[in-house]
mmCIF file of all heavy atoms in Angstrom:
data_model
loop_
_atom_site.group_PDB
_atom_site.id
_atom_site.type_symbol
_atom_site.label_atom_id
_atom_site.label_comp_id
_atom_site.label_asym_id
_atom_site.label_seq_id
_atom_site.Cartn_x
_atom_site.Cartn_y
_atom_site.Cartn_z
ATOM 1 N N ILE R 1 4.737 2.697 2.972
ATOM 2 C CA ILE R 1 3.555 2.165 3.449
ATOM 3 C C ILE R 1 3.481 2.270 5.006
ATOM 4 O O ILE R 1 4.541 2.174 5.636
ATOM 5 C CB ILE R 1 3.478 0.585 3.026
ATOM 6 C CG1 ILE R 1 2.203 0.012 3.455
ATOM 7 C CG2 ILE R 1 4.545 -0.230 3.655
ATOM 8 C CD1 ILE R 1 1.869 -1.354 2.928
ATOM 9 N N SER R 2 2.336 2.548 5.497
ATOM 10 C CA SER R 2 2.184 2.617 7.008
ATOM 11 C C SER R 2 0.869 2.202 7.400
ATOM 12 O O SER R 2 -0.075 2.015 6.498
ATOM 13 C CB SER R 2 2.500 4.168 7.401
ATOM 14 O OG SER R 2 1.424 4.960 6.841
ATOM 15 N N SER R 3 0.733 1.972 8.659
ATOM 16 C CA SER R 3 -0.590 1.533 9.133
ATOM 17 C C SER R 3 -1.063 2.239 10.469
ATOM 18 O O SER R 3 -0.222 2.773 11.152
ATOM 19 C CB SER R 3 -0.568 0.034 9.369
ATOM 20 O OG SER R 3 0.392 -0.368 10.499
ATOM 21 N N ASP R 4 -2.289 2.401 10.565
ATOM 22 C CA ASP R 4 -2.834 2.944 11.804
ATOM 23 C C ASP R 4 -3.856 2.114 12.377
ATOM 24 O O ASP R 4 -5.071 1.919 11.873
ATOM 25 C CB ASP R 4 -3.527 4.313 11.448
ATOM 26 C CG ASP R 4 -4.008 5.107 12.609
ATOM 27 O OD1 ASP R 4 -4.326 4.517 13.710
ATOM 28 O OD2 ASP R 4 -4.118 6.246 12.579
ATOM 29 N N ASN R 5 -3.446 1.311 13.338
ATOM 30 C CA ASN R 5 -4.393 0.265 13.854
ATOM 31 C C ASN R 5 -5.687 0.736 14.509
ATOM 32 O O ASN R 5 -6.764 0.187 14.348
ATOM 33 C CB ASN R 5 -3.604 -0.624 15.003
ATOM 34 C CG ASN R 5 -2.629 -1.461 14.287
ATOM 35 O OD1 ASN R 5 -2.472 -1.625 13.051
ATOM 36 N ND2 ASN R 5 -1.961 -2.226 15.176
ATOM 37 N N ALA R 6 -5.561 1.959 15.166
ATOM 38 C CA ALA R 6 -6.753 2.575 15.724
ATOM 39 C C ALA R 6 -7.837 2.923 14.613
ATOM 40 O O ALA R 6 -9.021 2.802 14.978
ATOM 41 C CB ALA R 6 -6.401 3.857 16.445
ATOM 42 N N LYS R 7 -7.382 3.224 13.412
ATOM 43 C CA LYS R 7 -8.342 3.547 12.338
ATOM 44 C C LYS R 7 -8.515 2.303 11.354
ATOM 45 O O LYS R 7 -9.266 2.452 10.449
ATOM 46 C CB LYS R 7 -7.817 4.759 11.527
ATOM 47 C CG LYS R 7 -7.741 6.003 12.344
ATOM 48 C CD LYS R 7 -7.224 7.155 11.507
ATOM 49 C CE LYS R 7 -7.265 8.525 12.364
ATOM 50 N NZ LYS R 7 -6.728 9.602 11.451
ATOM 51 N N ASN R 8 -7.866 1.229 11.689
ATOM 52 C CA ASN R 8 -8.005 0.055 10.842
ATOM 53 C C ASN R 8 -7.591 0.370 9.398
ATOM 54 O O ASN R 8 -8.309 -0.080 8.461
ATOM 55 C CB ASN R 8 -9.330 -0.566 10.938
ATOM 56 C CG ASN R 8 -9.299 -2.026 11.371
ATOM 57 O OD1 ASN R 8 -8.397 -2.463 11.991
ATOM 58 N ND2 ASN R 8 -10.243 -2.787 10.889
ATOM 59 N N THR R 9 -6.597 1.217 9.305
ATOM 60 C CA THR R 9 -6.226 1.677 7.850
ATOM 61 C C THR R 9 -4.749 1.529 7.530
ATOM 62 O O THR R 9 -3.976 1.722 8.514
ATOM 63 C CB THR R 9 -6.658 3.078 7.742
ATOM 64 O OG1 THR R 9 -8.098 3.334 8.046
ATOM 65 C CG2 THR R 9 -6.358 3.794 6.459
ATOM 66 N N VAL R 10 -4.537 1.279 6.334
ATOM 67 C CA VAL R 10 -3.115 1.255 5.867
ATOM 68 C C VAL R 10 -3.066 2.272 4.737
ATOM 69 O O VAL R 10 -3.965 2.459 3.985
ATOM 70 C CB VAL R 10 -2.725 -0.157 5.361
ATOM 71 C CG1 VAL R 10 -3.635 -0.628 4.177
ATOM 72 C CG2 VAL R 10 -1.273 -0.198 4.993
ATOM 73 N N TYR R 11 -1.994 2.931 4.676
ATOM 74 C CA TYR R 11 -1.671 4.039 3.802
ATOM 75 C C TYR R 11 -0.472 3.634 2.757
ATOM 76 O O TYR R 11 0.405 2.916 3.105
ATOM 77 C CB TYR R 11 -1.353 5.304 4.459
ATOM 78 C CG TYR R 11 -2.409 5.737 5.476
ATOM 79 C CD1 TYR R 11 -2.306 5.401 6.812
ATOM 80 C CD2 TYR R 11 -3.470 6.491 5.053
ATOM 81 C CE1 TYR R 11 -3.202 5.823 7.790
ATOM 82 C CE2 TYR R 11 -4.408 6.901 5.984
ATOM 83 C CZ TYR R 11 -4.268 6.549 7.289
ATOM 84 O OH TYR R 11 -5.198 6.928 8.318
ATOM 85 N N LEU R 12 -0.583 4.232 1.637
ATOM 86 C CA LEU R 12 0.556 4.258 0.744
ATOM 87 C C LEU R 12 0.914 5.650 0.307
ATOM 88 O O LEU R 12 0.112 6.190 -0.569
ATOM 89 C CB LEU R 12 0.242 3.352 -0.448
ATOM 90 C CG LEU R 12 1.452 3.153 -1.502
ATOM 91 C CD1 LEU R 12 2.568 2.372 -0.768
ATOM 92 C CD2 LEU R 12 1.003 2.497 -2.770
ATOM 93 N N GLN R 13 1.902 6.204 0.882
ATOM 94 C CA GLN R 13 2.424 7.568 0.514
ATOM 95 C C GLN R 13 3.277 7.376 -0.746
ATOM 96 O O GLN R 13 4.285 6.785 -0.649
ATOM 97 C CB GLN R 13 3.095 8.217 1.663
ATOM 98 C CG GLN R 13 3.610 9.567 1.321
ATOM 99 C CD GLN R 13 2.522 10.628 1.095
ATOM 100 O OE1 GLN R 13 1.562 10.684 1.921
ATOM 101 N NE2 GLN R 13 2.700 11.359 0.106
ATOM 102 N N MET R 14 2.908 8.115 -1.788
ATOM 103 C CA MET R 14 3.714 7.992 -3.030
ATOM 104 C C MET R 14 4.178 9.433 -3.356
ATOM 105 O O MET R 14 3.405 10.344 -3.538
ATOM 106 C CB MET R 14 2.749 7.473 -4.200
ATOM 107 C CG MET R 14 2.097 6.176 -3.907
ATOM 108 S SD MET R 14 1.125 5.483 -5.276
ATOM 109 C CE MET R 14 -0.166 6.746 -5.343
ATOM 110 N N ASN R 15 5.542 9.543 -3.394
ATOM 111 C CA ASN R 15 6.156 10.699 -3.765
ATOM 112 C C ASN R 15 7.059 10.482 -4.969
ATOM 113 O O ASN R 15 7.305 9.406 -5.459
ATOM 114 C CB ASN R 15 7.152 11.086 -2.630
ATOM 115 C CG ASN R 15 6.450 11.377 -1.231
ATOM 116 O OD1 ASN R 15 5.280 11.851 -1.317
ATOM 117 N ND2 ASN R 15 7.014 11.100 -0.141
ATOM 118 N N ALA R 16 7.383 11.662 -5.560
ATOM 119 C CA ALA R 16 8.196 11.659 -6.782
ATOM 120 C C ALA R 16 7.574 10.706 -7.846
ATOM 121 O O ALA R 16 8.245 9.893 -8.394
ATOM 122 C CB ALA R 16 9.612 11.253 -6.479
ATOM 123 N N LEU R 17 6.347 10.864 -8.085
ATOM 124 C CA LEU R 17 5.589 9.963 -8.932
ATOM 125 C C LEU R 17 6.157 10.032 -10.322
ATOM 126 O O LEU R 17 6.405 11.156 -10.842
ATOM 127 C CB LEU R 17 4.093 10.228 -8.861
ATOM 128 C CG LEU R 17 3.390 9.700 -7.616
ATOM 129 C CD1 LEU R 17 2.115 10.424 -7.531
ATOM 130 C CD2 LEU R 17 3.190 8.205 -7.746
ATOM 131 N N LYS R 18 6.129 8.921 -10.993
ATOM 132 C CA LYS R 18 6.535 8.797 -12.410
ATOM 133 C C LYS R 18 5.329 8.265 -13.255
ATOM 134 O O LYS R 18 4.463 7.694 -12.666
ATOM 135 C CB LYS R 18 7.725 7.856 -12.525
ATOM 136 C CG LYS R 18 8.916 8.130 -11.583
ATOM 137 C CD LYS R 18 9.908 7.096 -11.705
ATOM 138 C CE LYS R 18 11.124 7.318 -10.859
ATOM 139 N NZ LYS R 18 12.126 6.311 -10.938
ATOM 140 N N THR R 19 5.562 8.610 -14.482
ATOM 141 C CA THR R 19 4.475 8.101 -15.413
ATOM 142 C C THR R 19 4.238 6.606 -15.399
ATOM 143 O O THR R 19 3.142 6.123 -15.520
ATOM 144 C CB THR R 19 4.656 8.595 -16.825
ATOM 145 O OG1 THR R 19 5.948 8.050 -17.247
ATOM 146 C CG2 THR R 19 4.610 10.115 -16.977
ATOM 147 N N GLU R 20 5.231 5.886 -15.126
ATOM 148 C CA GLU R 20 5.256 4.419 -15.108
ATOM 149 C C GLU R 20 4.515 3.902 -13.808
ATOM 150 O O GLU R 20 4.211 2.743 -13.645
ATOM 151 C CB GLU R 20 6.540 3.792 -15.139
ATOM 152 C CG GLU R 20 7.640 4.252 -14.141
ATOM 153 C CD GLU R 20 8.543 5.304 -14.729
ATOM 154 O OE1 GLU R 20 8.091 6.186 -15.526
ATOM 155 O OE2 GLU R 20 9.730 5.186 -14.559
ATOM 156 N N ASP R 21 4.192 4.794 -12.813
ATOM 157 C CA ASP R 21 3.381 4.452 -11.629
ATOM 158 C C ASP R 21 1.955 4.430 -12.016
ATOM 159 O O ASP R 21 1.186 4.031 -11.145
ATOM 160 C CB ASP R 21 3.648 5.403 -10.573
ATOM 161 C CG ASP R 21 5.095 5.399 -10.055
ATOM 162 O OD1 ASP R 21 5.618 4.323 -9.959
ATOM 163 O OD2 ASP R 21 5.683 6.612 -9.847
ATOM 164 N N THR R 22 1.555 4.869 -13.186
ATOM 165 C CA THR R 22 0.145 4.785 -13.544
ATOM 166 C C THR R 22 -0.356 3.370 -13.606
ATOM 167 O O THR R 22 0.214 2.532 -14.311
ATOM 168 C CB THR R 22 -0.032 5.460 -14.986
ATOM 169 O OG1 THR R 22 0.336 6.825 -14.897
ATOM 170 C CG2 THR R 22 -1.523 5.397 -15.376
ATOM 171 N N ALA R 23 -1.438 3.189 -12.863
ATOM 172 C CA ALA R 23 -2.050 1.771 -12.754
ATOM 173 C C ALA R 23 -3.268 1.804 -11.841
ATOM 174 O O ALA R 23 -3.547 2.943 -11.151
ATOM 175 C CB ALA R 23 -0.981 0.821 -12.151
ATOM 176 N N ASP R 24 -3.922 0.754 -11.725
ATOM 177 C CA ASP R 24 -4.982 0.579 -10.776
ATOM 178 C C ASP R 24 -4.260 0.009 -9.484
ATOM 179 O O ASP R 24 -3.546 -1.028 -9.663
ATOM 180 C CB ASP R 24 -5.990 -0.346 -11.309
ATOM 181 C CG ASP R 24 -6.912 0.239 -12.320
ATOM 182 O OD1 ASP R 24 -6.999 1.515 -12.309
ATOM 183 O OD2 ASP R 24 -7.489 -0.485 -13.108
ATOM 184 N N TYR R 25 -4.450 0.536 -8.390
ATOM 185 C CA TYR R 25 -3.862 0.104 -7.202
ATOM 186 C C TYR R 25 -4.803 -0.590 -6.264
ATOM 187 O O TYR R 25 -5.988 -0.104 -6.053
ATOM 188 C CB TYR R 25 -3.281 1.354 -6.439
ATOM 189 C CG TYR R 25 -1.930 1.808 -7.019
ATOM 190 C CD1 TYR R 25 -2.041 2.519 -8.246
ATOM 191 C CD2 TYR R 25 -0.743 1.608 -6.404
ATOM 192 C CE1 TYR R 25 -0.818 2.943 -8.848
ATOM 193 C CE2 TYR R 25 0.431 1.985 -6.947
ATOM 194 C CZ TYR R 25 0.390 2.670 -8.184
ATOM 195 O OH TYR R 25 1.528 3.212 -8.719
ATOM 196 N N TYR R 26 -4.435 -1.686 -5.755
ATOM 197 C CA TYR R 26 -5.319 -2.611 -4.978
ATOM 198 C C TYR R 26 -4.692 -2.872 -3.636
ATOM 199 O O TYR R 26 -3.470 -3.097 -3.519
ATOM 200 C CB TYR R 26 -5.438 -3.927 -5.653
ATOM 201 C CG TYR R 26 -6.118 -3.841 -7.043
ATOM 202 C CD1 TYR R 26 -5.489 -3.661 -8.187
ATOM 203 C CD2 TYR R 26 -7.447 -4.049 -7.122
ATOM 204 C CE1 TYR R 26 -6.082 -3.540 -9.404
ATOM 205 C CE2 TYR R 26 -8.106 -3.885 -8.342
ATOM 206 C CZ TYR R 26 -7.438 -3.656 -9.537
ATOM 207 O OH TYR R 26 -8.042 -3.647 -10.686
ATOM 208 N N CYS R 27 -5.509 -2.779 -2.594
ATOM 209 C CA CYS R 27 -5.118 -3.130 -1.232
ATOM 210 C C CYS R 27 -5.458 -4.608 -0.990
ATOM 211 O O CYS R 27 -6.494 -5.137 -1.466
ATOM 212 C CB CYS R 27 -5.878 -2.163 -0.328
ATOM 213 S SG CYS R 27 -5.593 -2.569 1.509
ATOM 214 N N ALA R 28 -4.671 -5.280 -0.201
ATOM 215 C CA ALA R 28 -4.888 -6.678 0.111
ATOM 216 C C ALA R 28 -4.491 -6.998 1.580
ATOM 217 O O ALA R 28 -3.589 -6.336 2.098
ATOM 218 C CB ALA R 28 -4.061 -7.616 -0.934
ATOM 219 N N ALA R 29 -5.164 -7.962 2.064
ATOM 220 C CA ALA R 29 -4.840 -8.446 3.449
ATOM 221 C C ALA R 29 -4.655 -9.925 3.456
ATOM 222 O O ALA R 29 -5.387 -10.711 2.695
ATOM 223 C CB ALA R 29 -6.011 -8.072 4.354
ATOM 224 N N GLY R 30 -3.658 -10.439 4.253
ATOM 225 C CA GLY R 30 -3.438 -11.822 4.211
ATOM 226 C C GLY R 30 -2.941 -12.296 5.569
ATOM 227 O O GLY R 30 -2.663 -11.467 6.399
ATOM 228 N N GLN R 31 -2.914 -13.581 5.754
ATOM 229 C CA GLN R 31 -2.343 -14.179 7.001
ATOM 230 C C GLN R 31 -0.996 -14.594 6.905
ATOM 231 O O GLN R 31 -0.498 -15.270 7.877
ATOM 232 C CB GLN R 31 -3.273 -15.272 7.338
ATOM 233 C CG GLN R 31 -4.797 -14.833 7.716
ATOM 234 C CD GLN R 31 -5.700 -16.056 8.160
ATOM 235 O OE1 GLN R 31 -5.832 -16.898 7.399
ATOM 236 N NE2 GLN R 31 -6.081 -16.001 9.366
ATOM 237 N N ARG R 32 -0.320 -14.357 5.844
ATOM 238 C CA ARG R 32 1.191 -14.661 5.752
ATOM 239 C C ARG R 32 1.893 -13.526 6.356
ATOM 240 O O ARG R 32 1.430 -12.378 6.471
ATOM 241 C CB ARG R 32 1.552 -14.901 4.234
ATOM 242 C CG ARG R 32 0.813 -15.951 3.568
ATOM 243 C CD ARG R 32 1.198 -17.341 4.152
ATOM 244 N NE ARG R 32 0.748 -18.342 3.328
ATOM 245 C CZ ARG R 32 1.315 -18.991 2.408
ATOM 246 N NH1 ARG R 32 2.550 -18.734 2.031
ATOM 247 N NH2 ARG R 32 0.708 -20.048 1.712
ATOM 248 N N LEU R 33 3.095 -13.843 6.744
ATOM 249 C CA LEU R 33 3.994 -12.711 7.202
ATOM 250 C C LEU R 33 4.828 -12.231 6.068
ATOM 251 O O LEU R 33 5.664 -12.967 5.419
ATOM 252 C CB LEU R 33 4.918 -13.388 8.292
ATOM 253 C CG LEU R 33 4.259 -13.902 9.599
ATOM 254 C CD1 LEU R 33 5.304 -14.493 10.583
ATOM 255 C CD2 LEU R 33 3.479 -12.737 10.188
ATOM 256 N N MET R 34 4.625 -10.974 5.765
ATOM 257 C CA MET R 34 5.374 -10.263 4.815
ATOM 258 C C MET R 34 5.180 -10.958 3.416
ATOM 259 O O MET R 34 6.201 -11.408 2.805
ATOM 260 C CB MET R 34 6.858 -10.078 5.162
ATOM 261 C CG MET R 34 7.070 -9.179 6.349
ATOM 262 S SD MET R 34 6.164 -7.679 6.391
ATOM 263 C CE MET R 34 7.039 -6.830 5.025
ATOM 264 N N ALA R 35 4.039 -11.164 3.011
ATOM 265 C CA ALA R 35 3.743 -11.769 1.719
ATOM 266 C C ALA R 35 3.967 -10.856 0.507
ATOM 267 O O ALA R 35 3.669 -9.706 0.686
ATOM 268 C CB ALA R 35 2.320 -12.311 1.665
ATOM 269 N N TYR R 36 4.518 -11.470 -0.536
ATOM 270 C CA TYR R 36 4.877 -10.709 -1.665
ATOM 271 C C TYR R 36 4.028 -11.059 -2.939
ATOM 272 O O TYR R 36 3.965 -10.291 -3.961
ATOM 273 C CB TYR R 36 6.340 -10.763 -1.989
ATOM 274 C CG TYR R 36 7.171 -10.527 -0.838
ATOM 275 C CD1 TYR R 36 7.937 -11.603 -0.211
ATOM 276 C CD2 TYR R 36 7.327 -9.332 -0.308
ATOM 277 C CE1 TYR R 36 8.701 -11.426 0.911
ATOM 278 C CE2 TYR R 36 8.179 -8.993 0.773
ATOM 279 C CZ TYR R 36 8.852 -10.063 1.369
ATOM 280 O OH TYR R 36 9.621 -9.864 2.517
#
């Protein structure tokens, strides 16, 4: 995961993908520090 503040964008680079990675992926923003 990485972020680009200038573009107001966060990225998720996914390598070595597996079939179990199949899913709907959602982006979220929060006011907690390192929320899980």
Side-chain angles (χ1 to χ4, degrees):
I1 187 171
S2 62
S3 61
D4 186 335
N5 287 359
K7 297 181 179 180
N8 234 28
T9 300
V10 63
Y11 305 95
L12 184 67
Q13 179 66 46
M14 304 185 293
N15 298 325
L17 283 163
K18 304 175 181 179
T19 56
E20 54 260 46
D21 295 320
T22 296
D24 290 333
Y25 283 71
Y26 298 88
C27 176
Q31 294 183 298
R32 301 291 187 94
L33 296 179
M34 300 307 296
Y36 310 110

